[in-house]
Amino acid sequence: MEWALALVALALIGVAAVSGRLAGTPITPAMLFVAFGLLAGPEVLGGIDLASSDSTVRLLAEATLALVLFTDASRIDLGVLRRTFDVPVRLLGIGLALTILVGAMAAAAVFGELTVEEAVILAVVLAPTDAALGQAVVTEPRLPARIRQGLNVESGLNDGICVPLLFAAVAAADVESEISGGRSAGTLLLEEIGYGVVGGVVAGLLIGLIMARASRRDVIADAWAQVIPAAGAGLAYGIAVGLDGSGFIAAFVAGIVFRLALGRDPEHGNRLAEEAGDVLNGVTFVLFGAVLLGPALTELSWQIALYAALSLTVVRMVPVALAMLGSNARPPTVAFLGWFGPRGLASIVFAVIVVDESRLPHEHLIVLAIYVTVGLSVLAHGVTAAPFAARYARWYEHHPPTHHGMESADTQVTRPRRAAATHERGRRIRTAPSGRPRP
């Protein structure tokens, strides 16, 4: 522990120092953070040596996910989403359910010792996607807007949807778990969602009304205005947890309600929350590499490696292909949507929750599979994001969309996370003509 803080700070400084050079390359910040964590972890240098159940790891991961859920939700324009709902609805309404089903079937087939409930838990934990791990995809302007919108909105919504599903699955598998608290899966599901919504609505309305009134009367200093949304995410989380509801659902609902109450995209007001989320996300991936992935790799088996590969390919791509039937999407589009389903922050947080609050018979095997899958996703999706996005963009440019093609419909794209937006601005500056930066 003596050197842990210094090493984490060094990782943040190092990635920040080269961040402008990463755009358009097969190297992403998440890859660097995880690699640094592996190097600094107990399996190599031993500079960062925490237990996977350490409260520091869980507190950091949960705070990060709450901030990310809040800011993701506040970026979504519900009016635009209603007009261009087809891709997100297919990916979330059909693809997500099928992904959990196929993931559970694959888990049961590969790991014969898992119970049905444990196989479902593993599938739910690995169902959410993290578009931030493939920034080149959601920021590539040459891609069809509807495809970028679909992947961006899917990533923003699916982790919030999976929270109550995970808690219900754990409660069904382990009635003695701290998650269930003696409650049935049905009761738990209702309370997690219900109290989560209550916390989110209360906090979202409060900060939305404060920000809206204050902007008209000029009573809040600019620096403090940045604090209100970030604190609002914490308020929503705290209210829900205090009522035995889901803090993650509360943070997500608070983001939606905040935008509705404010009546506009809170991009400027969310700057602190987004940037704090990006920093915490980096720290989380450092600790993931050091504390979770490093030890898991020492116990790697062919079954775990096989499931990780299946989870990123068949388990994701087949459900997406089925979800897109009847959409008039062409095969390259379906393949592109299917491949870019990175697993990241939400899966890490869910795994830590499973470790802390349940006593599943095969808990260790489940979390090993989760850690290896996320690690493989960071590498595979990070390396392929820029070249695959460029290749798909070239195909799209040389194959103009037909009148009835799904790709032909234009749409306004939901603003990506601040890190992704900054990443894109850096790419434009370096590719500007005449050697001068573009504004």
Side-chain angles (χ1 to χ4, degrees):
M1 282 295 294
E2 290 83 359
W3 289 96
L5 179 59
L7 289 170
V8 170
L10 183 62
L12 292 173
I13 293 170
V15 172
V18 299
S19 57
R21 297 291 181 181
L22 299 181
T25 73
I27 300 175
T28 65
M31 291 168 61
L32 295 180
F33 285 129
V34 173
F36 186 92
L38 288 171
L39 181 64
E43 307 305 322
V44 183
L45 298 179
I48 302 176
D49 191 3
L50 301 173
S52 62
S53 57
D54 191 284
S55 59
T56 303
V57 177
R58 175 166 182 175
L59 179 62
L60 174 68
E62 290 192 355
T64 305
L65 183 57
L67 276 174
V68 168
L69 285 170
F70 176 86
T71 55
D72 278 354
S74 66
R75 276 191 296 269
I76 297 173
D77 186 332
L78 295 181
V80 172
L81 187 59
R82 282 195 298 269
R83 296 191 296 273
T84 58
F85 65 90
D86 49 348
V87 176
V89 165
R90 285 175 178 272
L91 293 177
L92 293 167
I94 302 173
L96 181 60
L98 290 177
T99 296
I100 294 173
L101 175 62
V102 176
M105 293 171 60
V110 174
F111 307 114
E113 61 266 44
L114 295 184
T115 65
V116 172
E117 293 85 356
E118 289 176 324
V120 172
I121 290 170
L122 178 55
V124 171
V125 170
L126 289 173
T129 57
D130 188 347
L133 296 183
Q135 292 178 355
V137 173
V138 295
T139 60
E140 174 54 72
R142 295 178 297 163
L143 297 183
R146 182 155 294 195
I147 302 307
R148 288 186 287 145
Q149 172 83 321
L151 290 171
N152 200 21
V153 173
E154 178 199 21
S155 173
L157 295 177
N158 56 16
D159 35 14
I161 293 172
C162 285
V163 168
L165 300 180
L166 172 65
F167 286 177
V170 172
D174 180 11
V175 294
E176 301 298 326
S177 69
E178 294 181 25
I179 288 177
S180 65
R183 297 170 290 176
S184 68
T187 300
L188 176 68
L189 192 63
L190 289 175
E191 291 185 357
E192 290 287 334
I193 296 174
Y195 291 135
V197 170
V198 169
V201 169
V202 170
L205 277 176
L206 176 63
I207 62 174
L209 292 175
I210 289 174
M211 293 287 285
R213 287 178 176 269
S215 63
R216 292 195 295 267
R217 299 182 180 181
D218 195 25
V219 296
I220 302 178
D222 287 344
W224 283 101
Q226 302 293 323
V227 174
I228 293 175
L235 177 63
Y237 188 95
I239 292 173
V241 171
L243 295 172
D244 287 331
S246 169
F248 300 126
I249 293 175
F252 185 79
V253 172
I256 293 176
V257 174
F258 173 49
R259 177 170 182 141
L260 290 175
L262 194 61
R264 54 182 170 80
D265 183 354
E267 179 177 8
H268 176 70
N270 268 358
R271 188 172 62 211
L272 175 62
E274 293 188 1
E275 291 178 349
D278 291 336
V279 172
L280 292 178
N281 196 45
V283 177
T284 299
F285 274 108
V286 171
L287 294 184
F288 167 71
V291 178
L292 306 178
L293 181 59
L297 292 177
T298 65
E299 301 182 57
L300 183 64
S301 65
W302 70 266
Q303 291 97 335
I304 292 175
L306 174 60
Y307 186 78
L310 289 174
S311 181
L312 301 183
T313 54
V314 175
V315 171
R316 162 74 181 183
M317 299 180 78
V318 170
V320 169
L322 293 174
M324 297 306 293
L325 289 175
S327 67
N328 294 322
R330 289 175 286 180
T333 297
V334 175
F336 188 78
L337 286 170
W339 170 243
F340 280 104
R343 311 311 200 278
L345 178 62
S347 295
I348 295 172
V349 175
F350 292 169
V352 173
I353 291 174
V354 169
V355 169
D356 278 1
E357 299 195 11
S358 69
R359 289 173 290 276
L360 302 172
H362 303 99
E363 172 192 295
H364 187 62
L365 176 60
I366 292 172
V367 295
L368 286 180
I370 295 167
Y371 299 153
V372 172
T373 303
V374 173
L376 180 60
S377 178
V378 170
L379 176 63
H381 289 109
V383 167
T384 59
F388 280 21
R391 182 175 180 179
Y392 177 62
R394 287 194 299 271
W395 169 84
Y396 183 66
E397 290 171 349
H398 289 88
H399 296 80
T402 62
H403 177 69
H404 298 291
M406 183 270 291
E407 302 92 343
S408 65
D410 196 13
T411 183
Q412 178 181 341
V413 179
T414 295
R415 178 172 57 86
R417 293 183 187 174
R418 179 168 296 276
T422 303
H423 186 84
E424 170 63 12
R425 286 196 296 271
R427 187 185 70 82
R428 289 201 305 266
I429 289 172
R430 287 195 305 282
T431 56
S434 73
R436 290 180 299 165
R438 292 177 181 172

